Amino acid sequence: MLITPVAIVLEIVFLVFVLFHLLQWLTQSTDEPPITENATPFIGPIIQMLLHLWLTHTRNKYGLLAYTLRLPGIRIYVLNKLSLITAAQKQHHVLSFGPIMGQAIVKIAGTSNAANETMTQDMLTDDGFLLGFNKEMYHTIAPSTSLDALTRRAASTFIDLVDGLEIKSRRTYQVSLSAWTRSTILHGATDAVYGTQNPFHDPVVEAAWYAFETGVTTLAMRFIPSFATRKIRQARETLVQSFTRYFSVGCPKEASDFMKARYNHIIRYQITDVQDIAKLEVAGAFSIITNSAPTAFWLLYHIFSDPAALEDCRQELAPLVHERDGVCYLDIESIKPSCPTLYSAFHEVMRYYGVAQSIRAVLEDHKLDNTHLLRKGSMVMMPATVQHFDPSVWGSDANQFDYKRFTKSILDGASYSFDSKSGNHGAFRGFGGGLHLCPGRHFAINEILSLAALLILRFDIVPAGGEKWPVIRTDSLSSKGSAVIMPDNDVDVILCPRENKKWKISPTVLQ
């Protein structure tokens, strides 16, 4: 009987399929979290991970507290139960972010071998270069005069950019809301950090950033061939050249305390080549810019598309405006404590659109919570989306956006205050959790609330063409490296000034 080539191929495929099943069965301990998506071993999980909102889909499908994804060459343990996440965060000597950060930074920055050796010498303690970074700069971005200075610089840039719109348009101005917000946040944040010599003042550098930003995740992957990242690396080189000029004579004196702390930390570890310093700053800028832009967009979208939310926020913000000699002064330091509805809407954006995945490397075999075996060399994933859409935490409306979710009624319903413990505050993972809680969260909150406040007070914003606010889709398979979902489509809007007045930031810091 003649065996056709097709039959041979089918037999080989079947044999490989059986061998994969056997390999998976022989190498998986019964103490490990159960395997999911194993109908096609090692391949099924890859396909599943390409689906939109795959983490919540898998949680709903299997209802497991934790499960294992068996990928080629590695195990990923996904933790769904909050108590397991809390237990994992306490085991930072066994489950560490350091090795993952080290591998990613080396690839994203493209630093020299000498710099890479310095950065990866100690990736497990804050005496090392990587984990020591946050310790050295945290005092400049925690609540302090340094943070106040950052916030005020960013807000001043926002005012200048908005004033520029009014000068160009006189009456109204049309913008694409997502693109405009992205550029505005970029300039505000980078002016605050880098000062008057900010490299992003150059439109070429700004364009290069957008090309680089969307490819950061691709650069960080080990198995992506270099030819597939050529354009991303070209954009990175443009950024590196610009920052090389910025650091040509050291850290500029006009730079923020935050930038000076970062620069001094790099020098302290004997990384003195200006190219390496520039490359590290290009990689570091990602944390300054990327997540704030989509967060600000979604906040503006939900406030201006909801008349009730807009009115509530305006009533809260109005007492923070003081007019003198025809100039309106906004007290930005009082926004967070005085505007619970706006602050709640911000947190709801982080809950509803946050897609951060806290990742840890398993450094040695460990029995998590004395129930789940985690094997050395594997990875642990703690996804925010699973916690953020858990109806047992947030209620039956967990899948809906509620701008007042993080408020509580006071004075018999006559007023509201911000409620940080809404639902279960441990389930809110907008800024990560545990030892590696986002150190820049205070600045991110301040700059986004400042921009939102200025626009809420100064403008009516409506869709162009007199249409209703459109539904913004978020079906893209990638958040493009951001911990917040990026909108799939933009929306053209008209900014209509409410009054013809000049605005400034209040010169007095109110505590």
Side-chain angles (χ1 to χ4, degrees):
M1 181 178 178
L2 185 63
I3 300 178
T4 66
V6 173
I8 294 174
V9 171
L10 290 176
E11 288 182 3
I12 293 174
V13 170
F14 177 74
L15 180 60
V16 170
F17 180 78
V18 172
L19 288 174
F20 277 2
H21 263 289
L22 183 62
L23 176 64
Q24 183 174 262
W25 179 72
L26 290 174
T27 57
Q28 184 78 10
S29 169
T30 55
D31 288 342
E32 293 178 77
I35 298 174
T36 62
E37 306 304 327
N38 62 348
T40 308
F42 304 105
I43 305 300
I46 297 176
I47 297 173
Q48 180 70 13
M49 291 170 73
L50 293 175
L51 301 178
H52 184 56
L53 298 179
W54 67 275
L55 288 161
T56 50
H57 171 77
T58 306
R59 188 274 310 272
N60 295 339
K61 180 179 179 181
Y62 296 99
L64 295 170
L65 305 182
Y67 59 88
T68 304
L69 294 173
R70 291 295 300 271
L71 302 173
I74 193 168
R75 292 168 164 83
I76 298 178
Y77 302 114
V78 181
L79 307 184
N80 285 335
K81 188 173 176 59
L82 183 57
S83 61
L84 291 179
I85 292 174
T86 302
Q89 290 174 165
K90 294 177 180 178
Q91 303 298 323
H92 52 86
H93 295 298
V94 178
L95 308 177
S96 176
F97 182 55
I100 296 171
M101 183 195 301
Q103 292 175 8
I105 291 294
V106 164
K107 287 188 169 292
I108 292 169
T111 38
S112 68
N113 291 335
N116 294 343
E117 184 177 349
T118 297
M119 290 190 292
T120 56
Q121 277 182 354
D122 177 3
M123 297 187 290
L124 303 181
T125 73
D126 58 14
D127 292 326
F129 176 85
L130 291 174
L131 296 185
F133 229 125
N134 288 348
K135 181 179 74 172
E136 290 300 318
M137 68 182 183
Y138 183 72
H139 70 281
T140 67
I141 48 177
S144 62
T145 55
S146 293
L147 176 64
D148 291 342
L150 276 174
T151 303
R152 296 174 73 80
R153 276 190 183 181
S156 294
T157 294
F158 296 153
I159 286 180
D160 290 343
L161 292 171
V162 171
D163 286 347
L165 291 181
E166 291 191 338
I167 291 171
K168 290 178 183 178
S169 61
R170 296 186 180 179
R171 289 299 304 163
T172 63
Y173 194 72
Q174 180 170 325
V175 299
S176 296
L177 186 59
S178 178
W180 182 82
T181 303
R182 187 185 191 190
S183 179
T184 301
I185 285 288
L186 178 142
H187 284 283
T190 56
D191 274 358
V193 171
Y194 301 120
T196 56
Q197 298 183 49
N198 179 10
F200 289 94
H201 289 168
D202 184 346
V204 173
V205 175
E206 181 177 357
W209 174 259
Y210 297 142
F212 171 72
E213 182 183 48
T214 56
V216 163
T217 302
T218 304
L219 275 181
M221 293 180 179
R222 291 178 294 178
F223 54 85
I224 300 295
S226 59
F227 71 83
T229 61
R230 183 175 58 86
K231 290 185 178 180
I232 303 168
R233 287 183 287 108
Q234 287 175 344
R236 181 179 67 187
E237 183 57 30
T238 298
L239 295 164
V240 169
Q241 290 175 6
S242 180
F243 274 100
T244 298
R245 293 189 293 271
Y246 179 79
F247 291 118
S248 60
V249 290
C251 187
K253 63 180 181 180
E254 300 87 359
S256 64
D257 292 343
F258 169 68
M259 182 66 256
K260 290 173 183 174
R262 285 162 68 107
Y263 180 85
N264 291 336
H265 180 75
I266 294 171
I267 296 299
R268 190 176 300 116
Y269 279 82
Q270 304 301 312
I271 299 177
T272 56
D273 183 274
V274 69
Q275 285 267 318
D276 280 329
I277 296 171
K279 289 175 179 179
L280 286 170
E281 189 52 40
V282 169
F286 190 82
S287 62
I288 299 169
I289 303 167
T290 299
N291 295 325
S292 295
T295 304
F297 165 78
W298 290 119
L299 182 61
L300 295 173
Y301 171 80
H302 280 284
I303 289 175
F304 281 98
S305 64
D306 184 339
L310 180 60
E311 181 59 27
D312 286 344
C313 290
R314 279 179 173 162
Q315 287 184 8
E316 291 179 348
L317 287 165
L320 306 185
V321 180
H322 306 279
E323 187 173 350
R324 294 195 303 273
D325 301 324
V327 178
C328 294
Y329 291 89
L330 175 61
D331 174 16
I332 58 173
E333 282 81 14
S334 296
I335 294 174
K336 189 162 61 174
S338 303
C339 304
T341 304
L342 178 58
Y343 198 30
S344 171
F346 170 88
H347 278 76
E348 180 68 346
V349 165
M350 296 293 287
R351 181 195 75 87
Y352 195 79
Y353 295 102
V355 289
Q357 299 175 14
S358 299
I359 308 292
R360 302 291 182 266
V362 183
L363 304 181
E364 59 186 59
D365 286 359
H366 178 71
K367 208 75 172 291
L368 182 63
D369 206 28
N370 293 316
T371 55
H372 298 285
L373 174 63
L374 309 179
R375 287 192 169 184
K376 179 181 179 180
S378 302
M379 292 171 59
V380 172
M381 178 184 292
M382 296 168 279
T385 49
V386 171
Q387 301 304 316
H388 288 178
F389 289 92
D390 187 345
S392 68
V393 173
W394 306 102
S396 58
D397 65 344
N399 290 329
Q400 300 174 17
F401 187 95
D402 178 5
Y403 73 94
K404 285 187 175 180
R405 188 180 300 277
F406 289 85
T407 62
K408 59 183 177 182
S409 176
I410 58 176
L411 301 176
D412 296 326
S415 185
Y416 292 91
S417 66
F418 179 73
D419 183 10
S420 63
K421 297 183 179 181
S422 176
N424 182 329
H425 67 282
F428 177 76
R429 301 187 60 80
F431 295 106
L435 186 66
H436 299 288
L437 196 65
C438 174
R441 63 192 182 277
H442 301 292
F443 176 52
I445 292 170
N446 288 356
E447 65 167 338
I448 293 169
L449 293 183
S450 296
L451 177 60
L454 285 166
L455 294 174
I456 290 168
L457 290 166
R458 294 184 64 172
F459 294 96
D460 290 318
I461 300 180
V462 296
E467 300 176 357
K468 293 182 178 180
W469 282 90
V471 174
I472 306 296
R473 300 188 64 84
T474 57
D475 296 333
S476 175
L477 297 180
S478 172
S479 62
K480 301 179 178 64
S482 171
V484 179
I485 291 177
M486 309 282 274
D488 288 352
N489 56 290
D490 211 334
V491 52
D492 290 337
V493 298
I494 303 294
L495 280 71
C496 309
R498 301 175 69 208
E499 294 180 302
N500 185 23
K501 293 182 179 179
K502 188 172 181 61
W503 286 75
K504 289 185 178 180
I505 301 303
S506 173
T508 304
V509 178
L510 303 177
Q511 299 295 338

